[in-house]
């Protein structure tokens, strides 16, 4: 039996290092007084810009073209916005013995964030899965998350996420939904420009999120929320997230098998259905949690790095052990075609 080979170097996302550096900067030099006001205003503008760019770059037509594979997309959406939240709610039993209330709120928020697009596509491609389905599934999840994540957070997290107060709903509409819809409306005019300058705009995305993180963690330092976290609690959080990721990877894989999906579709479901988007979750948390956003995004930042490392190993394992369906396809490719008889049999 062939043993799976682990990659020589597990992926450590450089952007996670940049985020951690930003957290360290906020801890050493937090924005205070007038500087905090400026940072908060810049963070608000950065969130609006991010969601405008999300809307302008997301091809709704391509997502809608994938509706013919609706069973797969519904399965991914169920993993992202049904199974994940249910597991998050079940983790409530770990408070206060394992997790503190703020860390649990962050864990539950993590469970409400939409799936990723880029990493889901990358890992599905490495594992030889259904890449077009992964693209559509990620797009559907991002579209749904614009509405579902804030609404689920407001309903399930209650006061820790602002509840259904008019102020929180106004923030959601003005900072998230309206810029996204404006980007979708202007896509036909600005889409080409954004596509031509994708590398530069990638730095704009990352820089904006770093600004949001700095403002959130500065506010957390000013409010003294980090006194609520200890090293043992962080270790417990990592253990809980490891279990959460393992459960979702297993459920998405074997659940898709029970639903009758083929191997390529199961790979797309597993990688799209077990992921959470750091890029979408960080700005949403800054809108929903205010001064508590620094603790709310901590579980998401840790989970992001964990899912990259685990899924990199899993994707390579899937590629090395293709399974009976792909093996049958390979046999068909290398087998010579049947020879036609040269004459009538006597």
């Amino acid at each position: 039996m062939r043993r799976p080979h682990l990659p020589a170097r597990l992926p450590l996302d450089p952007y996670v290092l940049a985020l951690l550096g930003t957290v360290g900067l906020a801890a050493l030099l937090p924005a205070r007084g007038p500087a905090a006001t400026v940072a908060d205003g810049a963070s608000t503008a950065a969130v609006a810009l991010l969601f405008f760019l999300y809307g302008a770059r997301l091809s709704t037509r391509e997502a809608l073209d994938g509706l013919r594979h609706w069973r797969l997309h519904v399965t991914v959406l169920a993993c992202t916005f049904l199974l994940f939240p249910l597991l998050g709610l079940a983790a409530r039993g770990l408070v206060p013995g394992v997790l503190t209330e703020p860390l649990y709120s962050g864990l539950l928020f993590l469970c409400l964030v939409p799936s990723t697009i880029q990493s889901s596509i990358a890992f599905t491609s490495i594992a030889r899965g259904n890449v077009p389905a992964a693209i559509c599934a990620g797009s559907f999840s991002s579209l749904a998350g614009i509405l579902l994540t804030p609404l689920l957070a407001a309903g399930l997290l209650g006061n820790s996420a602002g509840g259904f107060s008019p102020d929180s709903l106004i923030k959601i509409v003005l900072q998230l939904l309206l810029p996204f819809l404006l980007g979708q409306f202007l896509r036909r005019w600005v889409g080409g420009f954004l596509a031509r300058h994708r590398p530069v705009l990638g730095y704009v995305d990352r820089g904006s999120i770093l600004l949001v993180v700095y403002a959130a963690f500065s506010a957390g330092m000013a409010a003294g929320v980090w006194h609520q976290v200890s090293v043992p609690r962080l270790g417990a959080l990592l253990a809980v997230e490891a279990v959460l990721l393992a459960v979702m990877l297993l459920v998405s894989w074997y659940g898709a098998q029970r639903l009758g999906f083929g191997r390529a579709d199961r790979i797309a479901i597993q990688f799209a259905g077990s992921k959470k988007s750091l890029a979408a979750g960080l700005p949403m948390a800054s809108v929903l949690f205010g001064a508590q956003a620094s603790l709310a995004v901590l579980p998401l930042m840790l989970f992001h790095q964990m899912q990259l490392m685990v899924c990199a190993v899993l994707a390579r394992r899937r590629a090395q052990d293709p399974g009976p369906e792909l093996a049958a396809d390979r046999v068909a490719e290398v087998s010579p075609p049947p020879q036609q008889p040269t004459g009538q049999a006597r």
Side-chain angles (χ1 to χ4, degrees):
M1 180 178 177
R2 184 174 56 185
R3 302 179 66 180
H5 298 287
L6 296 180
R9 183 171 172 268
L10 290 176
L12 182 61
D13 190 350
Y15 192 54
V16 171
L17 296 178
L19 288 169
L20 294 176
T22 303
V23 172
L25 178 63
L28 295 174
L29 298 172
R32 299 182 185 276
T37 303
V38 173
D40 184 62
S43 174
T44 300
V47 170
L49 175 62
L50 279 171
F51 277 83
F52 171 80
L53 293 175
Y54 293 160
R57 286 188 301 220
L58 186 60
S59 175
T60 310
R61 175 172 296 181
E62 289 180 5
L64 294 178
D65 285 344
L67 281 175
R68 61 182 179 273
H69 211 352
W70 63 269
R71 288 182 65 246
L72 184 147
H73 304 314
V74 169
T75 303
V76 172
L77 289 176
C79 289
T80 303
F81 296 112
L82 181 60
L83 293 180
F84 255 116
L86 288 176
L87 290 173
L89 290 173
R92 177 70 191 182
L94 301 176
V95 180
V98 178
L99 300 176
T100 63
E101 188 69 40
L103 288 179
Y104 169 71
S105 295
L107 180 70
L108 182 54
F109 175 72
L110 150 71
C111 294
L112 309 179
V113 171
S115 179
T116 63
I117 298 179
Q118 289 87 351
S119 62
S120 297
I121 296 170
F123 290 131
T124 299
S125 176
I126 291 172
R128 302 175 185 177
N130 189 338
V131 175
I135 296 172
C136 291
S139 300
F140 280 139
S141 182
S142 296
L143 285 170
I146 298 297
L147 286 176
L148 288 180
T149 298
L151 293 178
L152 287 172
L156 297 179
L157 287 165
N159 292 332
S160 57
F164 282 103
S165 68
D167 183 62
S168 64
L169 291 179
I170 289 173
K171 285 183 178 180
I172 291 170
V173 171
L174 293 181
Q175 291 186 245
L176 304 181
L177 183 58
L178 189 60
F180 179 83
L181 293 177
L182 181 62
Q184 281 280 288
F185 177 74
L186 296 177
R187 174 179 165 76
R188 61 181 298 182
W189 293 285
V190 303
F193 174 83
L194 297 179
R196 290 192 301 272
H197 298 83
R198 185 180 297 273
V200 175
L201 291 173
Y203 289 111
V204 174
D205 283 355
R206 291 172 174 83
S208 298
I209 293 176
L210 291 177
L211 177 59
V212 170
V213 170
Y214 176 76
F217 276 81
S218 291
M221 290 297 296
V225 297
W226 283 98
H227 295 299
Q228 308 171 36
V229 182
S230 64
V231 174
R233 293 288 191 181
L234 287 178
L237 174 63
L238 283 171
V240 171
E241 291 192 336
V243 173
L244 176 65
L245 179 59
V247 169
M248 286 307 304
L249 287 171
L250 290 172
V251 170
S252 58
W253 179 255
Y254 291 105
Q257 182 181 39
R258 292 294 299 271
L259 291 173
F261 288 100
R263 179 187 178 278
D265 288 345
R266 289 166 64 196
I267 290 173
I269 291 171
Q270 184 178 50
F271 287 123
S274 63
K275 296 281 189 311
K276 290 297 179 179
S277 173
L278 185 70
L282 288 177
M284 285 183 179
S286 71
V287 175
L288 295 170
F289 289 92
Q292 299 291 324
S294 57
L295 281 184
V297 301
L298 180 62
L300 179 59
M301 291 170 61
L302 296 176
F303 190 84
H304 173 79
Q305 181 58 42
M306 185 182 297
Q307 71 185 11
L308 288 180
M309 296 175 69
V310 172
C311 290
V313 176
L314 183 60
R316 288 174 172 82
R317 176 65 179 86
R318 296 269 183 247
Q320 293 168 359
D321 185 20
E325 294 178 20
L326 200 55
D329 293 340
R330 288 182 174 178
V331 170
E333 290 176 1
V334 300
S335 298
Q339 296 183 353
Q340 297 295 329
T342 57
Q344 295 290 334
R346 298 192 177 188

